[in-house]
Amino acid sequence: MKASIEQAFGREIRKAREKLGRSQEGLAFDAEVHRTYIGMIERGQKSPTLGVILRLARALNLKPSELVRRAEARFEKSNPWI
Amino acid sequence: MKASIEQAFGREIRKAREKLGRSQEGLAFDAEVHRTYIGMIERGQKSPTLGVILRLARALNLKPSELVRRAEARFEKSNPWI
């Protein structure tokens, strides 16, 4: 199934969040974004800005580039001919 | 001098663009964004979305994560105590 880079990013955010046993609320608080925004990000319904990517990465103890690398790998895997 | 992640990203976009000898217009065309938007990105006045980061990376023959990694390295260098 084809997925957008936003969907791939959202899946990786959810995976990293659940690995830490965090709720969407907890992540939203730490990253200083609205709780409903985390839900939209995780479902790939919003394209996060670089500033939001940085805050999410900090809240998840990851580098922004690592988050993007994971999303990119998932995205490439789901779009092998692009 | 302290710089935002957006300013660091903008500097890296400009550097990568100039390395390829591209104009802002040419990059804007390939990345399918408005020319004035490239200027704002390069000056750090806009926080690009993940979708725009992907399109800029493709137009510059770089991986999105590599662009973010460069911005991150520049950002960390300018904010050593964060």
Side-chain angles (χ1 to χ4, degrees), chain A residues 5-6 9 47-54 58 63-66 68-69 71-72 75-76 82, chain B residues 5-6 9 47-54 58 63-66 68-69 71-72 75-76 82:
Chain A
I5 186 84
E6 287 80 9
F9 184 85
S47 200
T49 61
L50 183 61
V52 167
I53 295 170
L54 177 69
R58 282 177 171 166
K63 291 210 172 227
S65 59
E66 173 59 18
V68 174
R69 193 197 61 73
E72 184 178 281
F75 176 61
E76 286 171 359
I82 291 180
Chain B
I5 187 83
E6 286 81 7
F9 183 84
S47 201
T49 62
L50 183 59
V52 167
I53 294 170
L54 176 69
R58 283 177 170 166
K63 290 207 171 229
S65 59
E66 172 59 19
V68 174
R69 193 198 59 74
E72 185 178 279
F75 177 61
E76 285 170 0
I82 289 180

Side-chain angles (χ1 to χ4, degrees), chain A residues 35-49:
Chain A
R35 181 188 58 78
T36 58
Y37 188 66
I38 297 287
M40 288 191 286
I41 292 283
E42 289 191 355
R43 290 190 299 276
Q45 293 167 342
K46 280 275 178 190
S47 200
T49 61

